[in-house]
Amino acid sequence: EVVILPGSPDEAKRAAGKLAADLIERVVRAKPDAVLGLATGSTPLPVWHSLATRPLDWSRVRGFALDEYIGLPDGHPESYRAVITREVVDTLGLTPSLVHVPGDDGGEIQTAGDRYEAAIAAAGGVDIQVLGIGRTGHIGFNEPGSSFASRTRVKTLTEATRRDNARFFDSILEVPRHCLTQGLGTILDARRLVLLAFGEAKADAVAGAVEGPVSASLPASAIQLHPEVTVILDEAAASKLR
Ligand code: F6R
């Protein structure tokens, strides 16, 4: 299902956040210890803000982040651990020990992916996964060429993605070159996907994801293989859909 929200960019973002929050609220009401898949970046912020206004019991809800940079100093404010804590855990009042980020268990990086997969499986899988999309067509940090069967692993960020994310750092030199990310196979295992995108810069990636060939050259096109996907867009992000 594709939902296109009219109005000014700010109005559309607010409405999109509300819609995605409605989907998440339904899941949490039906299952108080639901497992949420968490995206970072700018796109999901309206979702967390809308959820924060709702009288829901978050104490048993569990979370797994999509990805994490490799190589930032511990406690760096732009590490996804810090971002998830600030923007999701603190905003909603989640129980910190129930929210996981790849590589945050203190073990070796090279085997962190396998441990993360095991932790997701032990939690019974992700009930609802929130996704943004990169201009390269990435979901998580699965850049073009990522296998649809991929699981959580170490990846190299493209220069385009490093440039896009430089806005969160003092300079592009500070943006890590590597990351841990859930694989496309991991993401497709979630019971439900909610992908949000705003702005014209995402329009080509969105068109490819929703209508293009299912192809590793546009990793987000993998969502076409999933039976329960909601894509929530503003008019600019939807502008290249036919
Ligand atoms: C973030 C993530 C990425 C972002 C994407 C869009 O955890 O996995 O796929 O969702 O890069 O980023 P924003 O929302 O900042 O445009």
Side-chain angles (χ1 to χ4, degrees), residues 88-99:
V88 190
V89 176
D90 293 351
T91 305
L92 300 183
L94 293 174
T95 302
S97 60
L98 298 182
V99 178

Side-chain angles (χ1 to χ4, degrees), residues 38 61 64 72 84 105 135 214 222 234:
L38 305 170
V61 170
F64 286 90
L72 288 177
I84 290 281
D105 59 0
R135 285 193 300 146
V214 174
D234 67 1

Side-chain angles (χ1 to χ4, degrees), residues 39-44 66-67 80 132-134 138-141 167 202:
T40 50
S42 309
T43 305
L66 275 174
D67 38 22
Y80 284 175
I133 182 170
H138 70 217
I139 49 176
F141 278 139
R167 70 187 193 281
K202 302 288 178 72

Side-chain angles (χ1 to χ4, degrees), residues 133-134 195 197-198 202-212 218 231 233 237-238 241:
I133 182 170
L195 186 148
F198 308 124
K202 302 288 178 72
D204 284 316
V206 165
V210 174
E211 294 177 338
L218 205 144
V231 177
L233 308 170
L241 294 175

Side-chain angles (χ1 to χ4, degrees), residues 5 11-12 39 51 78 81 95 106 154 165 172 199 221:
L5 293 159
E11 284 165 0
L51 280 174
E78 292 307 328
R81 172 83 256 173
T95 302
V154 174
N165 287 7
I172 190 167
S221 65

Side-chain angles (χ1 to χ4, degrees), residues 68-83 85-86 101-107 109 169 174 176 180:
E68 176 60 295
Y69 294 118
I70 293 176
L72 288 177
D74 263 1
H76 190 289
E78 292 307 328
S79 73
Y80 284 175
R81 172 83 256 173
V83 172
T85 299
R86 199 163 61 226
V101 175
D104 70 349
D105 59 0
I109 288 288
F169 294 85
E174 262 190 61
L180 277 159

